[in-house]
Amino acid sequence: LAHELTASVEGHWAKNGAASGFSGTKIFTWFMVLALLGVWSSVAVVWLDLVDYDNVIGKLSAYDADGDGDFDVEDAKVLLGKWKERLEKEQLEQLEREDKERLEKQREAEEKAEKEQLEKEKLEKERIEKEKAELERMEKERLEKDRAAKEKAEKERIEKERVAKEKAEKERLEKERVAKEKAEKERLEMERVAKEKAEKERIEMERVAKEKAEKERLEKERVAKEKAEKERIEKERVAKEKAEKERLEKERVAKEKAEKERLEKERVSKEKKKKPKLLNTFEKTIKSEIDAAEKLRKKGKVEEAVRAFDTLVQQYPQSPRCRYGKALAEDDLAEKMRSNDMLQKALSTYKEASELPNATPDLIKATLKKRAERQQFLGRMRGALATLEKLVQIFPEDMALKNDLGVAHLLIGDNKSAKRVYEEVLAIAPSNGFAKVHYGFILKSENKIAESIPFLRDGLESGDPGTDDGRFYFHLGDALQRMGDDSAYKWYERGHQRGHFASVWQRSLYNVDGLKAQPWWTPKDTGYMDLIKTLERNWRTIRDEALSVMDQTTGLFVPEEENLREKGEWGQFTLWQQGKKAGESCHSVPKTCGLLERYPEATGCKRGQIKFSVMQPGTHVWPHTGPTNCRLRMHLGLVIPKTGCKIRCTNDTRAWEEGKVLIFDDSFEHEVWQDANSYRLIFIVDVWHPELTQYQRQTLSPI
């Protein structure tokens, strides 16, 4: 019963406790009341014998808290205390849950409010930005309208001014024309009257003067004839004596020279005919084996030849000829494979062969000459120079080796050392033609024009090997021209006949055969009409950029460096060279470079240049030719004095015009005069010859 009462109270608490808000004391009181009621009810039941007390007591003994064997008040107090503790615990947990729910709801409400606030701020910001953008757009439209209105008004004003100026100019010109016509009529009438009078006086004076002059002339002629006859007879006598002496002297000198040349040629011929001795005493015993390997090499079986000579070198490691044969075979194989690594291997083998004991002098000479030649082929000019110096040291009497040494010095730009070598050769062999042409070439490069001529001429006339070269005909003719000697064209003609020049006028040395050759070209001839129109349409822009950098303080214009000037000042500012931009040049003239970027026939011309050229008054450029027939040269006039500036190409002389393009083939002889009172400024654009194929343009070497 107590258990049931307890359950009833708990149910009542679960239903109504939280809502009623009873305090802990009231609840405890109620519990005590209920407990007492339970006790009294139990007494009544027992007393009235309403239930089986023993049966009930037996069941309540399960709730005996103090262990005295029955369920009494003390047991009920214990049970009620535990129940109270549980209820208080549940109450605390309920309160904690409520606090948590309240805090969670409060947090969610705050977050929601914050989000709503941020959203409002965002919308407000967007509204402000839209309003600002709209205001800016309206302001721009207003400014654009104002600018358009101002431009329109300015154009109208300028147009009115132009019309007014034209009208005033026409009126002025008409007045001037009428006044000039009137003045011209009066002047002509006065001149006619004066001429008639002067003509009469002149005729009379001429008649008198002629009569007097005729008498004096006849007398002078008579006296002069007598005197001239005497002088002629005396001169003839003196000239005959002098000529006879000169003839005898020339014959003597010529005989001596011819004898020296004959002896030198005989010596050279003997050296050539003399078969080189490449085998030492031991190698003669294995000649058949060497010849067999050499036969493979000469038949083009280079891989087999390399293996054969390699075997011989292993068998006879001290044989210079076997090692030389191996080097030749490796050299041939490098050529076949186009392999620099294999060629380097051959160079090492050549060196080994030359340094072995018992190598014959002829083998040493042949080996080192071949090594120097292949070093030059690889571009190792200083290595080749060292090899040739070693050769000359071993064979000091061999002039051909000294000549080769001189060339090696020239190839590295050491003209001073080359000059010293050729002076040594000419001191020993004064008729050596090879040394003469190279010595003359060096003198001319030093601007010793007159001194260079006899060496170049005698060297070419000698016909010695290595002298029949277009460069020597070119430089001899150029030197003669600079000395005012018309025999230059005789040498140009000879160079043409020898196949070095396309013609007497066209003397470039780096050519492609079969290209159309004419000195002057029209825009239509070139096929580059778009480029030419662009240059002529934008000539003022190009001119203004050139003028902006022409100040000497910029340092962009540098003096011409090819020794083409007889006198004067000639500066150049290069934008493209050999198909590539010249450093940072285009940064100074960006508009000009921008115009040219889309024309690869100009910017990609590896054998040409694009540059500004300024020439000062009093400048004369010697007659000269460009290096190649693979390009055409365009000149755009930028600042051209009215008179005094002209250019000759072959026998046709022309002048520049501002804003116009002149086109010529600079492989033909051309010459320039600047005799104006102010500077001349042009823009030079080289383009590929229009007949060159795309493949040729890509593969031709730069110049």
Side-chain angles (χ1 to χ4, degrees):
L1 179 59
H3 176 71
E4 290 173 359
L5 285 171
T6 303
S8 175
V9 171
E10 287 176 355
H12 179 77
W13 170 250
K15 290 177 184 177
N16 303 315
S20 63
F22 286 169
S23 66
T25 306
K26 287 181 180 181
I27 292 168
F28 181 75
T29 304
W30 276 104
F31 284 155
M32 290 301 295
V33 170
L34 288 173
L36 290 172
L37 283 173
V39 171
W40 286 113
S41 297
S42 298
V43 171
V45 169
V46 173
W47 186 266
L48 295 176
D49 198 18
L50 295 175
V51 295
D52 185 355
Y53 179 75
D54 293 332
N55 187 32
V56 171
I57 291 301
K59 290 180 180 178
L60 288 174
S61 63
Y63 299 97
D64 182 9
D66 54 4
D68 59 358
D70 60 0
F71 180 80
D72 53 20
V73 174
E74 295 302 320
D75 295 324
K77 286 181 180 180
V78 171
L79 288 173
L80 285 172
K82 289 181 179 180
W83 187 49
K84 181 182 178 183
E85 288 175 1
R86 185 165 63 84
L87 287 175
E88 287 178 349
K89 185 178 181 183
E90 287 177 356
Q91 184 184 12
L92 288 171
E93 288 175 354
Q94 181 66 19
L95 289 171
E96 285 176 358
R97 279 195 300 273
E98 287 175 358
D99 286 343
K100 282 183 181 179
E101 287 173 0
R102 182 178 56 76
L103 291 171
E104 180 65 21
K105 286 178 182 179
Q106 184 179 345
R107 186 184 60 78
E108 288 176 355
E110 287 176 354
E111 285 180 355
K112 184 178 179 182
E114 187 177 352
K115 284 182 180 178
E116 289 175 354
Q117 181 63 26
L118 289 172
E119 185 65 22
K120 285 179 182 179
E121 288 177 358
K122 181 182 177 184
L123 291 172
E124 181 65 17
K125 188 177 181 182
E126 287 178 353
R127 184 186 65 75
I128 292 168
E129 286 178 352
K130 284 182 181 178
E131 289 178 357
K132 184 180 178 183
E134 182 65 18
L135 289 171
E136 287 178 352
R137 184 186 64 76
M138 293 172 67
E139 180 64 16
K140 282 183 180 178
E141 286 180 357
R142 185 185 66 76
L143 292 172
E144 182 62 22
K145 286 179 182 178
D146 290 350
R147 187 187 61 77
K150 285 180 181 178
E151 285 183 355
K152 184 178 178 182
E154 182 64 15
K155 286 181 180 177
E156 290 175 354
R157 184 185 65 75
I158 291 169
E159 181 63 19
K160 285 179 182 178
E161 287 181 357
R162 185 186 64 76
V163 172
K165 283 181 181 178
E166 286 182 355
K167 184 178 178 182
E169 184 66 13
K170 284 180 181 178
E171 291 175 354
R172 184 185 64 77
L173 292 172
E174 181 62 22
K175 286 179 181 178
E176 285 183 357
R177 185 185 64 76
V178 172
K180 282 181 180 178
E181 286 181 356
K182 182 179 178 182
E184 184 66 14
K185 285 179 181 177
E186 293 174 352
R187 184 184 64 76
L188 291 172
E189 181 61 22
M190 290 175 69
E191 283 184 355
R192 185 185 64 76
V193 173
K195 281 182 180 178
E196 287 180 356
K197 182 180 178 182
E199 184 65 16
K200 287 178 182 178
E201 292 175 351
R202 183 185 65 75
I203 292 169
E204 180 61 21
M205 289 175 70
E206 281 184 355
R207 185 187 63 76
V208 173
K210 279 181 181 178
E211 289 179 357
K212 182 179 178 182
E214 183 64 17
K215 288 179 181 177
E216 291 176 351
R217 183 184 67 77
L218 292 171
E219 180 61 20
K220 283 181 179 179
E221 280 183 358
R222 185 186 63 78
V223 173
K225 281 180 180 178
E226 290 178 356
K227 183 179 179 182
E229 184 64 17
K230 288 179 181 178
E231 288 177 350
R232 183 186 64 78
I233 293 169
E234 179 62 19
K235 282 182 180 179
E236 282 181 358
R237 184 187 65 77
V238 173
K240 283 179 181 178
E241 290 179 356
K242 185 179 179 181
E244 183 64 15
K245 286 180 181 178
E246 288 177 351
R247 184 185 65 79
L248 293 171
E249 180 63 20
K250 281 182 179 179
E251 283 182 0
R252 183 187 65 76
V253 172
K255 283 179 181 179
E256 288 180 357
K257 183 180 178 181
E259 183 64 16
K260 285 181 180 178
E261 289 176 351
R262 184 185 64 78
L263 293 171
E264 179 65 17
K265 284 180 180 178
E266 282 181 1
R267 184 186 66 77
V268 172
S269 179
K270 284 178 182 177
E271 286 181 357
K272 285 182 180 179
K273 290 178 182 178
K274 186 180 177 183
K275 191 174 180 180
K277 294 179 180 179
L278 304 179
L279 301 175
N280 61 28
T281 305
F282 168 73
E283 287 166 341
K284 289 176 182 178
T285 63
I286 57 169
K287 185 176 182 299
S288 59
E289 296 176 63
I290 295 172
D291 289 346
E294 188 66 25
K295 189 175 182 181
L296 290 171
R297 187 181 73 82
K298 289 180 177 177
K299 283 185 176 182
K301 299 178 180 180
V302 288
E303 292 90 346
E304 294 179 40
V306 169
R307 287 195 293 271
F309 275 114
D310 196 41
T311 301
L312 288 174
V313 167
Q314 290 177 16
Q315 289 178 345
Y316 312 111
Q318 294 302 308
S319 168
R321 179 63 183 89
C322 291
R323 208 168 291 265
Y324 175 56
K326 181 186 176 185
L328 290 172
E330 289 171 342
D331 200 338
D332 292 345
L333 182 58
E335 190 71 25
K336 183 178 179 180
M337 294 170 61
R338 296 185 177 278
S339 169
N340 286 344
D341 290 338
M342 180 55 69
L343 184 53
Q344 182 57 48
K345 190 175 180 183
L347 289 177
S348 298
T349 310
Y350 281 130
K351 186 173 185 290
E352 291 169 6
S354 69
E355 292 174 350
L356 284 173
N358 300 320
T360 66
D362 288 349
L363 185 131
I364 293 171
K365 184 184 292 187
T367 303
L368 292 178
K369 280 184 72 174
K370 193 70 176 175
R371 185 169 193 266
E373 176 192 322
R374 302 308 278 162
Q375 284 174 313
Q376 288 176 346
F377 174 80
L378 280 175
R380 298 176 180 177
M381 301 304 175
R382 295 197 177 275
L385 180 65
T387 302
L388 287 166
E389 285 175 339
K390 184 176 180 180
L391 265 170
V392 169
Q393 188 177 2
I394 298 170
F395 305 101
E397 302 301 320
D398 192 324
M399 296 300 106
L401 292 178
K402 284 195 173 183
N403 283 336
D404 291 342
L405 178 60
V407 171
H409 281 297
L410 289 175
L411 288 173
I412 63 170
D414 187 1
N415 287 21
K416 186 176 180 181
S417 296
K419 185 179 182 182
R420 186 174 63 252
V421 170
Y422 290 123
E423 285 172 346
E424 291 173 4
V425 172
L426 291 172
I428 299 168
S431 61
N432 189 300
F434 188 94
K436 281 188 173 183
V437 289
H438 285 82
Y439 189 66
F441 170 80
I442 294 168
L443 289 174
K444 185 171 180 290
S445 70
E446 295 174 346
N447 212 29
K448 296 177 180 178
I449 307 299
E451 293 176 45
S452 71
I453 290 172
F455 288 99
L456 287 165
R457 182 173 52 220
D458 292 351
L460 285 170
E461 287 177 342
S462 73
D464 286 354
T467 61
D468 188 20
D469 188 310
R471 291 172 296 179
F472 302 129
Y473 287 97
F474 181 95
H475 285 292
L476 174 57
D478 184 60
L480 289 167
Q481 277 185 303
R482 296 189 183 197
M483 296 304 296
D485 190 336
D486 289 340
S487 68
Y489 291 96
K490 179 192 80 172
W491 287 99
Y492 290 146
E493 177 63 33
R494 189 178 294 184
H496 168 54
Q497 291 172 356
R498 302 288 295 180
H500 301 303
F501 306 140
S503 70
V504 172
W505 290 115
Q506 191 179 19
R507 302 190 297 272
S508 53
L509 297 175
Y510 302 94
N511 301 323
V512 169
D513 294 335
L515 297 180
K516 182 178 180 180
Q518 61 186 46
W520 293 99
W521 289 63
T522 66
K524 188 176 179 181
D525 289 338
T526 68
Y528 298 136
M529 289 294 293
D530 189 33
L531 169 60
I532 294 164
K533 286 179 181 177
T534 297
L535 291 172
E536 292 186 341
R537 194 180 301 122
N538 296 279
W539 76 274
R540 288 185 176 86
T541 299
I542 298 170
R543 177 201 62 192
D544 292 346
E545 281 200 324
L547 292 175
S548 72
V549 297
M550 208 171 75
D551 186 353
Q552 289 183 354
T553 58
T554 65
L556 297 176
F557 280 79
V558 298
E560 175 270 326
E561 298 172 341
E562 297 179 59
N563 192 27
L564 298 176
R565 286 169 292 159
E566 177 192 9
K567 58 180 180 177
E569 295 179 27
W570 179 13
Q572 299 176 343
F573 173 32
T574 302
L575 306 182
W576 269 270
Q577 177 92 16
Q578 296 182 341
K580 296 180 180 178
K581 282 186 178 178
E584 304 297 324
S585 298
C586 279
H587 290 179
S588 303
V589 286
K591 293 178 183 176
T592 301
C593 290
L595 291 169
L596 289 165
E597 291 283 3
R598 61 190 181 96
Y599 297 104
E601 61 267 31
T603 58
C605 182
K606 294 186 291 184
R607 294 196 164 190
Q609 302 167 313
I610 299 175
K611 59 188 177 182
F612 291 102
S613 170
V614 62
M615 194 173 284
Q616 300 297 336
T619 301
H620 173 234
V621 178
W622 293 110
H624 64 286
T625 59
T628 178
N629 73 339
C630 295
R631 73 187 187 201
L632 300 179
R633 178 155 282 189
M634 298 182 181
H635 282 188
L636 173 65
L638 299 178
V639 179
I640 309 298
K642 291 182 179 179
T643 59
C645 293
K646 56 187 178 181
I647 178 171
R648 173 184 67 81
C649 188
T650 64
N651 51 10
D652 186 356
T653 302
R654 302 187 183 185
W656 297 273
E657 294 181 52
E658 290 184 356
K660 297 294 180 183
V661 171
L662 271 180
I663 311 166
F664 65 101
D665 184 340
D666 76 328
S667 64
F668 287 84
E669 179 182 295
H670 52 287
E671 183 177 10
V672 177
W673 296 267
Q674 214 290 46
D675 296 320
N677 295 321
S678 59
Y679 68 85
R680 180 226 67 180
L681 177 64
I682 62 172
F683 187 45
I684 298 175
V685 179
D686 290 337
V687 293
W688 284 117
H689 192 291
E691 292 183 356
L692 285 172
T693 66
Q694 196 61 36
Y695 177 77
Q696 287 172 317
R697 297 181 188 196
Q698 291 172 355
T699 56
L700 283 169
S701 59
I703 294 179

